[in-house]
């Protein structure tokens, strides 16, 4: 007698069904969607704080995911954008059902761009489609240059990498050129932006790229 074990297949299949429904819903409403992944502390929330004010003419909505507390959402409240907090109560990722439920609190007709800030984790979120158009990874120079090699799926399923905290580069062993070479060895078409949320370097270029994408 043999035992066949299929781990998580049913869960992922159900998530994918809802994700496709989300994708169609977003398409119908004309909303572009970005799902942002990163390790804890890489600077996802800081990025949104600095980037959203630069997106002139783009109506932005945010779904903020976190394991506990509403602190990140509170940091974004001053931006006066539609904002929904999902607290997962221990789950290490957002799933498509959570996003579908959160949309009850957002009028998609008033949004051009929906940004989903996923739970800080480079493992679990990479397996769960949220109906996004683009998946972006925020990689900070304080994490080390080996993150793409250690967490390949997060990068292989993404289209954009944002290398954050470039102002701290002189104080780390992070090799930005080597990291970019490794990432493009995995995904040759990857768009990579080097930014600093503290100084603002690189954010205008990133904002211009987002505006062009949303309006295109």
């Amino acid at each position: 007698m043999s035992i066949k074990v299929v781990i998580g297949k049913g869960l992922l299949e159900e998530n994918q069904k809802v994700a496709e429904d989300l994708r169609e819903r977003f398409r119908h409403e004309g909303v572009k969607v970005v799902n942002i992944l990163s390790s804890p502390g890489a600077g996802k929330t800081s990025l949104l704080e600095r980037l959203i004010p630069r997106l002139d003419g783009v109506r932005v909505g945010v779904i903020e995911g976190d394991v506990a507390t509403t602190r990140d959402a509170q940091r974004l409240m001053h931006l006066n954008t539609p904002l929904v907090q999902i607290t997962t109560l221990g789950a290490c990722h957002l799933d498509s059902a959570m996003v579908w439920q959160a949309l009850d609190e957002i009028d998609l007709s008033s949004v051009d761009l929906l940004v989903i800030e996923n739970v800080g984790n480079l493992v679990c979120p990479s397996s769960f489609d949220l109906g996004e158009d683009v998946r972006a990874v925020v990689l900070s120079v304080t994490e080390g240059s080996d993150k793409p090699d250690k967490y390949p799926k997060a990068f292989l399923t993404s289209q954009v990498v944002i290398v954050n905290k470039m102002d701290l580069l002189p104080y780390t062993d992070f090799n930005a050129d080597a990291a970019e070479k490794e990432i493009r060895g995995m995904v040759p078409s990857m768009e990579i932006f080097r930014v600093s949320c503290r100084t603002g370097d690189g954010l205008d270029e990133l904002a211009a790229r987002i505006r062009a994408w949303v309006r295109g």
Side-chain angles (χ1 to χ4, degrees):
M1 179 183 293
S2 63
I3 299 174
K4 182 178 180 180
V5 180
V6 180
I7 301 175
K9 182 178 179 181
L11 177 64
L12 291 176
E13 286 180 349
E14 183 59 32
N15 182 86
Q16 194 60 41
K17 291 176 184 177
V18 179
E20 293 302 333
D21 290 341
L22 280 170
R23 190 167 284 110
E24 180 57 33
R25 185 174 177 182
F26 294 140
R27 187 180 298 116
H28 177 75
E29 295 286 350
V31 177
K32 298 290 182 66
V33 183
V34 177
N35 179 12
I36 301 182
L37 280 57
S38 84
S39 300
K44 296 189 303 299
T45 307
S46 295
L47 178 68
L48 296 183
E49 281 187 290
R50 305 295 188 270
L51 188 60
I52 289 175
R54 288 173 161 83
L55 297 176
D56 302 325
V58 176
R59 301 173 300 169
V60 182
V62 177
I63 293 178
E64 181 70 44
D66 218 335
V67 172
T69 82
T70 61
R71 291 176 182 173
D72 287 349
Q74 289 171 353
R75 286 175 56 185
L76 300 178
M77 287 183 65
H78 70 280
L79 299 176
N80 295 317
T81 62
L83 174 64
V84 179
Q85 169 81 45
I86 298 176
T87 302
T88 67
L89 300 177
C92 60
H93 62 275
L94 298 181
D95 62 34
S96 56
M98 294 177 190
V99 173
W100 186 278
Q101 185 175 3
L103 293 181
D104 289 342
E105 307 301 325
I106 295 181
D107 178 10
L108 289 179
S109 67
S110 67
V111 172
D112 302 313
L113 172 66
L114 179 65
V115 180
I116 302 171
E117 182 181 338
N118 218 312
V119 177
N121 188 324
L122 282 179
V123 181
C124 306
S126 63
S127 295
F128 287 82
D129 185 355
L130 303 182
E132 69 267 21
D133 299 293
V134 170
R135 182 174 291 184
V137 178
V138 178
L139 173 66
S140 76
V141 303
T142 55
E143 296 177 78
S145 307
D146 60 349
K147 282 296 183 290
D149 192 42
K150 291 177 68 175
Y151 303 98
K153 189 170 183 179
F155 293 85
L156 288 169
T157 60
S158 297
Q159 296 79 42
V160 176
V161 170
I162 301 166
V163 183
N164 189 25
K165 305 186 183 181
M166 287 296 295
D167 55 302
L168 297 179
L169 187 63
Y171 310 104
T172 72
D173 294 325
F174 188 90
N175 187 323
D177 292 335
E180 287 198 13
K181 183 178 180 180
E182 184 171 283
I183 291 167
R184 289 211 167 94
M186 299 166 68
V187 185
S189 61
M190 188 75 78
E191 291 195 65
I192 302 175
F193 298 86
R194 300 184 186 187
V195 308
S196 167
C197 292
R198 182 175 297 277
T199 66
D201 289 348
L203 292 179
D204 288 339
E205 178 188 357
L206 178 57
R209 178 68 183 92
I210 293 171
R211 286 197 304 270
W213 171 61
V214 171
R215 293 168 179 169

